Amino acid sequence: MTESVAIVQSEIKTLFAGDASGHDYWHTLRVYRLARRLAEAYPCDKTLVALAALLHDADDPKLFSGNDYRNTRRILKKAAISEEMTANIISIISQVSFHGTDSIAPDSLEGKIVQDADRLDALGAIGIARTFAYGGSRGRAMFDPTEAPALGLSSEAYHNHKGSSLHHFFEKLFTLKDLMNTEAAKAIAEQRERFLWDFVIEFYDEWF
């Protein structure tokens, strides 16, 4: 299975080559490493965690068209992963993403761990950098003081919303700590969220 994980990791590196939206290969690698770290504290299928973490963005609708998980299926077939394992991985990655008030907790422990790892990478210093990288890649303003954050959005409204990058802190990032599934992730999230607040306070102080 170590060889299969290495094949998937190599394919992911190729798939995200040149990405500048904050969803690049290095994001995937951080999520993979953090998911493995979180998994050590729980009795779970660690191979399933590793593969799902590596593939969690492989068919993200924000980045790729279609919803048939074609990238995931192609990569797992190349890595000689069974149909049963493939189905389990697809089930996990279909539940990981943030969808505003329609967000769900995955129905497996492995999915919860991968979701936590992905959300942790949206917090802290790297989370700040990714927020502005993604906003810039989508032509969003860094900040618009004439607008207010749009809170409590449903999935459709959230994905259609084009607010500023700074407002994204209030629309998503500051909700993540309370959405963590595992105690290990909650402890990390608390520390990283404090860093976000320090940044936002400094940002407003410099802006106004």
Side-chain angles (χ1 to χ4, degrees), residues 87-98:
N88 288 336
I89 290 167
I90 289 174
S91 176
I92 287 174
I93 64 179
S94 71
Q95 299 174 329
V96 163
S97 292
F98 182 83

Side-chain angles (χ1 to χ4, degrees), residues 148-201:
L151 306 179
L153 297 178
S154 66
S155 178
E156 182 178 3
Y158 173 78
H159 290 295
N160 289 330
H161 180 57
K162 306 299 180 185
S164 75
S165 292
L166 192 74
H167 286 153
H168 186 67
F169 285 64
F170 298 94
E171 294 161 355
K172 175 184 177 180
L173 305 189
F174 286 134
T175 72
L176 296 181
K177 177 172 65 68
D178 292 335
L179 294 176
M180 294 294 165
N181 302 291
T182 64
E183 291 304 316
K186 289 175 184 177
I188 300 171
E190 186 171 353
Q191 176 185 354
R192 294 189 181 188
E193 186 189 75
R194 286 198 297 269
F195 192 91
L196 293 188
W197 279 114
D198 288 343
F199 172 82
V200 169
I201 291 168

Side-chain angles (χ1 to χ4, degrees), residues 43-122:
C44 63
D45 186 332
K46 293 174 176 55
T47 299
L48 180 56
V49 168
L51 291 172
L54 284 170
L55 289 157
H56 79 279
D57 273 344
D59 291 284
D60 190 325
K62 296 192 300 295
L63 310 171
F64 304 98
S65 60
N67 60 353
D68 56 358
Y69 300 97
R70 67 184 66 181
N71 289 325
T72 298
R73 295 181 190 279
R74 172 183 59 78
I75 293 170
L76 290 175
K77 183 176 182 180
K78 186 170 184 177
I81 300 300
S82 71
E83 287 296 323
E84 181 181 3
M85 177 73 84
T86 296
N88 288 336
I89 290 167
I90 289 174
S91 176
I92 287 174
I93 64 179
S94 71
Q95 299 174 329
V96 163
S97 292
F98 182 83
H99 295 289
T101 57
D102 296 321
S103 297
I104 63 169
D107 54 20
S108 68
L109 175 57
E110 292 82 4
K112 289 179 172 68
I113 288 170
V114 173
Q115 185 181 71
D116 281 356
D118 183 38
R119 288 177 171 178
L120 285 171
D121 204 54

